[in-house]
Amino acid sequence: MTETDPAKETTAYRICPFCEACCGLELTLERGHVKRIRGHQADVFSAGYLCPKGVALKDLHEDPDRLRTPLIKRNSRFVEVSWDEAFAEIERRLPPLIAQHGRDAVALVLGNPIVHKASLLLYASRLGRALATRNIFSASTLDQMPKQLSSGLMFGDWLSVPVPDIERCDFLLVLGANPMVSNGSLWTVPNFRDKAKALRARGGKLVVVDPRRTETARAADQHLFVRPGGDVFLLLGMVQTLFAENLVRLGRLAPHVAGLETLQQSVAGFTPEKVSARCGIPAETIRELARSLATTERAAVYGRIGTCTQDFGTLCSWLVDVLNTLTGHLDAPGGAMFAKAAAFQNNTLGKSGSGKGIVTGRRKSRVSGAPEIFGELPMGCLAEEIETPGEGQVKALISISSNPALSSPHGTRLGAALEQLEFMVSVDIYLNETTRHADVILPGTSPLEDMHYDVAFTQLSHRNHARYSAPVLPRSPGQPDEWQVLLRLLAVIQGKGAGADLKALDDELLAQDLKRTAGPYADQIFNAVAHMCGAERLLEVGLRTGPYGDQFGAKPDGLNLDKLKTTVGGIDLGPLTSRVPEVLRTPSGKIELAPAMLVDDLSRAASDLQREVPELILIGRRQLHSNNSWMHNLPVLAKGAARCTALVNPADASRLGLQDGGKARITQGKRTIEVDVEITDEMMPGVVSLPHGWGHDQPGSRLEIAASNPGANLNQLMDEDRRDPLSGNAVLSGVEVQMEAVARPMEFAEQTQ
Ligand SMILES: Nc1nc2c(c(=O)[nH]1)N[C@H]1C(S)=C(S)[C@@H](COP(=O)(O)OP(=O)(O)OC[C@H]3O[C@@H](n4cnc5c(=O)[nH]c(N)nc54)[C@H](O)[C@@H]3O)O[C@H]1N2
Ligand SMILES: Nc1nc2c(c(=O)[nH]1)N[C@H]1C(S)=C(S)[C@@H](COP(=O)(O)OP(=O)(O)OC[C@H]3O[C@@H](n4cnc5c(=O)[nH]c(N)nc54)[C@H](O)[C@@H]3O)O[C@H]1N2
Ligand code: SF4
Ligand SMILES: [Mo]
């Protein structure tokens, strides 16, 4: 047989782990190597769609810089060691530190890729519980915490986030999101492009509100420039209009809604005329938007990261769903609906129709007194918790697939703080801007080496489905699964030692979980899955006890893991269905339209109405060939279009003397970065856009390709103390900056002659 003998080719399928679209990929393998990656046509959910990043899974798997062996720092240099040596080092250093300073001295920092790997997601929460530190930080407070908080307050669970039912929607208002590039977020919707096209083809309308005329805005019927941070005012003006023009129609939801009158009174002062200047949108346009939303039978409002990473993130997130509810579009086909996932969804478990709701602020951060949120503290507080001496000071840190040195505000301060730690362990696949500060790095698997199921994104999907990916390739010798890595860390923390029997520990944890969740059935369920272990076992339990499950035999036609595994391309569970009141977990059993915490925060918005417009404001953006801070080392993407340029409106460029293709300095307070300038009228005047996740020029990283085109770190300019006070979410957009041209050496020479 020749090397190219087709008989040697095999096909495998994997859900793409890179973004929330969760596309099904088809991989052609030859002799254990990935030959080709395409969209999987028979995937019930993504139907063959993929973007350029999906193809890069091959490059990631083969990247010579991807770590395959644990590293220990000795005399300031990393050396390769065995897994046992790495864990011996952790056991030598971490437990004594906990014994001396207590559990709060260890911080746990959780990054975005966790949510894309079932193995990490299901065991990171176990590790967090076992560690029982107050110092848990995650990307959630750089991202979606405002939406989780507003959803929790309104619907009773942190993950009860309604998503647009795009395939039946005829009017979609999108704020602060660019799904054409990001492929959707808190809304799992592969191939947004074609779905938006279909919406328009059937006579529907897409409206985009963004300070940049984005790729999504270009594909829309209408684009409105909004002043960065001004969305809350636009949304308030729209809600006010609904009441003032008698357009409120709760429809089917009327008996399930509380707080309508309070809401009406609270927004009464925010007339379109009052808010117009602050959001930069004419009063009449605000009214028209409200009317279109109210009078289109199937319509939805959707807001994403641009509306979360700002001073009023929680208010914006709330008002989006207030608008959906007041116009009768919440929980209605073609509106904003709740997914019903096959497993792990809190709002399908326990008693339905009401619940405990959510609580926040059960404790405060030690240094700045920021309230706890969803069991975490704001990422912006991490550096000060390490730097500030005293009882409870963070002295050790475990980071799991997290790169806060680039992804969170003021990376140099954080980097210096990480250097100050007595001990740091990272579970990561790269030696990068963050992990270079670690003492031990434990490599994660390549996504091709582990099984996967979308624990979180099935809860946020525009259509219900269940899909499972088996490992595509065997793990390299000695490489544990990531759940095993986390479990072994857990064993060390619990004092069971790095040599603990992991199966016994896994059994113990499952038995504890079942005791809490399965009551009288706990033993029966445990026995049925006693032969299994790890993330796959948790999935089996989740599926079988879930809303479509076989209930361990009680519903023989129901779903279980074996059945799911026999499908090619997964199981379609149909379009979203109306779930109110069953989905609610609020103590009142109602949709809370006017939670006190949010209504109270309106006074902060009111006093911000008069804020003066700064001359220049910096916002962020995402790029198709890039994913947050860690995909710049992959050849297929690096040669693509991702360029770390600052987009500047022509009027600003001429005012500031900036040249297209020239260099400029952006300054915020005492901090400065140097950027390449790209002049374009897609920017709102007075607003500059720079992508985040760049700045790969830090010594000690091992990212050869990324370092050759490092870009500038936008987050170097962000203020770690600036947060939405309710959610603790960082303000990463709408920050006032100064910008000036950097003279090229020639020009400089001429000037000084
Ligand atoms: N200015 C600005 N800043 C932002 C944002 C913004 O819009 N503007 N967006 C924010 C958002 S939404 C997010 S989610 C955060 C993301 O910020 P982070 O949570 O820090 O995530 P990433 O930057 O994606 O870094 C991921 C890390 O995980 C590692 N990794 C990748 N795959 C794996 C794996 O399979 N296993 C393991 N163990 N490790 C892996 C990578 O090497 C990298 O170190 O950034 C935030 N930062
Ligand atoms: N290609 C690619 N895809 C990704 C990622 C990536 O890095 N690259 N990251 C993934 C992650 S972690 C996430 S969380 C999602 C995020 O997904 P999206 O929310 O779609 O993120 P962005 O593409 O950054 O879009 C945010 C938009 O908000 C706008 N904006 C900024 N400030 C304001 C404001 O004050 N008001 C309004 N209305 N708009 C504003 C920006 O101009 C930008 O167009 O994307 C995911 N998908
Ligand atoms: S849109 Fe691209 S990165 Fe996102 S899941 Fe699909 S193929 Fe992967
Ligand atoms: Mo994110």
Side-chain angles (χ1 to χ4, degrees):
M1 272 191 261
T2 63
E3 281 289 305
T4 51
D5 187 342
K8 292 266 182 212
E9 281 190 2
T10 52
T11 305
Y13 305 100
R14 179 65 164 81
I15 297 168
C16 176
F18 293 142
C19 90
E20 299 182 39
C22 304
C23 302
L25 304 178
E26 180 186 291
L27 297 97
T28 306
L29 305 165
E30 194 179 49
R31 296 167 190 271
H33 292 282
V34 178
K35 204 175 155 193
R36 193 168 54 239
I37 298 183
R38 292 189 288 219
H40 182 197
Q41 297 294 334
D43 187 284
V44 296
F45 186 61
S46 58
Y49 180 76
L50 87 170
C51 84
K53 286 194 298 303
V55 178
L57 198 47
K58 173 179 161 67
D59 286 11
L60 175 64
H61 186 72
E62 294 169 1
D63 187 352
D65 286 339
R66 183 170 63 79
L67 301 179
R68 286 147 173 95
T69 314
L71 300 178
I72 293 186
K73 197 182 272 164
R74 295 213 173 104
N75 302 322
S76 307
R77 290 196 48 203
F78 280 108
V79 292
E80 292 191 354
V81 295
S82 70
W83 281 90
D84 283 341
E85 284 172 291
F87 269 100
E89 179 76 358
I90 297 168
E91 190 161 11
R92 188 175 72 77
R93 297 180 65 179
L94 194 57
L97 209 141
I98 296 175
Q100 193 187 346
H101 301 289
R103 286 171 177 276
D104 291 338
V106 187
L108 184 60
V109 180
L110 307 172
N112 167 277
I114 289 179
V115 79
H116 294 278
K117 280 192 145 181
S119 201
L120 284 176
L121 187 57
L122 293 170
Y123 280 76
S125 51
R126 300 190 140 181
L127 182 64
R129 241 177 285 145
L131 187 58
T133 171
R134 46 193 295 148
N135 287 306
I136 297 183
F137 303 84
S138 89
S140 295
T141 52
L142 305 172
D143 186 347
Q144 82 289 353
M145 197 58 96
K147 190 74 200 177
Q148 290 197 260
L149 176 57
S150 74
S151 302
L153 293 169
M154 291 179 81
F155 312 118
D157 186 78
W158 295 96
L159 254 179
S160 289
V161 177
V163 299
D165 177 20
I166 188 167
E167 289 181 325
R168 295 179 287 186
C169 180
D170 294 323
F171 178 84
L172 181 60
L173 173 61
V174 171
L175 304 104
N178 188 12
M180 208 71 106
V181 165
S182 69
N183 283 291
S185 180
L186 291 186
W187 184 24
T188 293
V189 55
N191 200 357
F192 171 84
R193 177 187 299 270
D194 281 357
K195 290 181 175 72
K197 246 191 217 165
L199 180 152
R200 297 184 64 202
R202 63 178 175 264
K205 195 172 170 189
L206 175 64
V207 181
V208 173
V209 175
D210 199 300
R212 180 181 154 235
R213 191 168 67 251
T214 60
E215 295 76 357
T216 308
R218 272 180 251 148
D221 298 272
Q222 189 181 4
H223 168 234
L224 298 165
F225 279 137
V226 63
R227 281 183 47 200
D231 304 77
V232 64
F233 303 103
L234 162 66
L235 295 166
L236 281 165
M238 287 176 69
V239 175
Q240 195 275 348
T241 302
L242 293 179
F243 284 114
E245 300 192 1
N246 194 20
L247 291 168
V248 173
R249 301 276 180 276
L250 294 175
R252 208 193 113 245
L253 296 184
H256 307 297
V257 163
L260 190 65
E261 274 175 33
T262 311
L263 177 69
Q264 180 167 9
Q265 286 156 14
S266 319
V267 301
F270 295 95
T271 59
E273 280 69 22
K274 276 226 178 108
V275 298
S276 168
R278 182 69 179 80
C279 65
I281 296 177
E284 199 43 31
T285 309
I286 299 175
R287 287 205 173 86
E288 277 163 16
L289 280 178
R291 289 174 198 143
S292 299
L293 185 68
T295 55
T296 310
E297 195 184 334
R298 295 173 171 225
V301 189
Y302 165 74
R304 199 46 277 271
I305 198 140
T307 60
C308 282
T309 50
Q310 50 168 276
D311 293 302
F312 298 100
T314 309
L315 287 185
C316 287
S317 301
W318 166 55
L319 292 165
V320 163
D321 287 328
V322 162
L323 283 169
N324 283 321
T325 311
L326 294 183
T327 49
H329 299 314
L330 184 83
D331 202 43
M337 303 188 80
F338 298 98
K340 189 177 197 173
F344 305 115
Q345 190 168 23
N346 281 338
N347 67 33
T348 63
L349 304 174
K351 188 169 136 306
S352 66
S354 65
K356 285 199 197 124
I358 62 155
V359 278
T360 67
R362 289 170 293 188
R363 48 183 188 275
K364 296 225 178 333
S365 76
R366 186 177 60 101
V367 181
S368 34
E372 164 270 345
I373 177 109
F374 199 27
E376 305 180 10
L377 295 174
M379 194 68 123
C381 297
L382 177 57
E384 65 187 21
E385 291 294 331
I386 300 172
E387 291 163 352
T388 314
E391 182 79 25
Q393 181 183 9
V394 169
K395 291 181 183 280
L397 187 144
I398 302 172
S399 79
I400 304 175
S401 62
S402 172
N403 192 10
L406 289 191
S407 56
S408 77
H410 201 173
T412 25
R413 176 177 176 190
L414 186 58
L418 295 178
E419 218 31 56
Q420 211 182 300
L421 290 163
E422 288 180 21
F423 189 58
M424 174 170 165
V425 186
S426 292
V427 182
D428 206 287
I429 56 171
Y430 284 114
L431 171 49
N432 63 15
E433 299 78 11
T434 294
T435 61
R436 71 194 173 109
H437 298 288
D439 298 286
V440 180
I441 308 178
L442 303 170
T445 50
S446 152
L448 296 183
E449 296 169 344
D450 61 6
M451 76 88 186
H452 184 64
Y453 170 90
D454 281 308
V455 172
F457 300 121
T458 47
Q459 306 184 34
L460 298 162
S461 292
H462 80 96
R463 190 177 170 94
N464 291 316
H465 61 97
R467 296 172 303 155
Y468 167 87
S469 300
V472 171
L473 293 169
R475 293 197 301 275
S476 44
Q479 169 73 48
D481 247 322
E482 281 172 303
W483 68 264
Q484 290 170 316
V485 176
L486 301 197
L487 202 53
R488 211 167 166 191
L489 278 173
L490 187 152
V492 172
I493 286 160
Q494 284 192 335
K496 293 191 166 79
D501 178 345
L502 292 189
K503 171 73 167 109
L505 181 54
D506 197 42
D507 284 350
E508 194 186 303
L509 293 172
L510 179 67
Q512 282 167 14
D513 278 359
L514 290 172
K515 214 165 154 190
R516 246 185 316 119
T517 56
Y521 303 105
D523 288 345
Q524 186 198 335
I525 295 176
F526 184 87
N527 292 334
V529 296
H531 61 290
M532 301 175 75
C533 62
E536 188 146 307
R537 172 159 74 174
L538 296 179
L539 175 57
E540 168 82 326
V541 174
L543 288 172
R544 299 186 74 175
T545 55
Y548 311 89
D550 71 2
Q551 309 304 323
F552 285 94
K555 290 190 180 164
D557 292 339
L559 194 56
N560 59 38
L561 186 55
D562 277 346
K563 280 188 196 167
L564 188 58
K565 280 184 178 179
T566 59
T567 63
V568 179
I571 300 176
D572 176 37
L573 296 167
L576 303 186
T577 50
S578 298
R579 292 195 54 196
V580 172
E582 158 271 314
V583 72
L584 300 175
R585 294 293 184 276
T586 47
S588 61
K590 306 266 186 200
I591 295 166
E592 294 291 352
L593 274 185
M597 184 195 273
L598 304 180
V599 170
D600 291 350
D601 200 37
L602 286 174
S603 57
R604 192 169 59 96
S607 55
D608 199 69
L609 255 176
Q610 308 309 331
R611 195 203 286 195
E612 272 188 29
V613 191
E615 229 169 50
L616 202 59
I617 295 179
L618 184 60
I619 64 169
R621 75 175 186 276
R622 283 175 161 71
Q623 298 166 298
L624 195 57
H625 289 251
S626 169
N627 193 27
N628 296 330
S629 71
W630 68 280
M631 285 182 74
H632 297 139
N633 210 50
L634 307 180
V636 70
L637 298 179
K639 70 176 170 11
R643 284 177 54 226
C644 182
T645 53
L647 304 180
V648 186
N649 179 278
D652 293 315
S654 77
R655 177 171 58 88
L656 299 165
L658 305 177
Q659 306 272 321
D660 192 54
K663 295 239 176 258
R665 210 171 283 123
I666 308 184
T667 307
Q668 210 283 324
K670 292 193 178 125
R671 287 179 252 154
T672 290
I673 58 171
E674 214 172 278
V675 295
D676 295 324
V677 173
E678 194 176 336
I679 298 174
T680 164
D681 68 1
E682 72 189 38
M683 290 313 301
M684 183 175 185
V687 184
V688 180
S689 161
L690 192 69
H692 76 280
W694 295 85
H696 303 292
D697 49 2
Q698 306 189 6
S701 304
R702 197 181 295 167
L703 296 163
E704 197 184 331
I705 295 178
S708 67
N709 179 19
N713 180 5
L714 160 68
N715 280 326
Q716 195 48 26
L717 302 179
M718 298 296 147
D719 179 354
E720 61 277 36
D721 295 325
R722 190 162 161 196
R723 299 188 273 277
D724 165 30
L726 304 186
S727 64
N729 210 87
V731 174
L732 300 171
S733 194
V735 172
E736 181 178 352
V737 290
Q738 284 80 45
M739 202 165 172
E740 59 180 353
V742 174
R744 291 200 182 97
M746 266 305 288
E747 292 167 18
F748 184 69
E750 283 161 18
Q751 278 167 21
T752 49
Q753 268 168 14

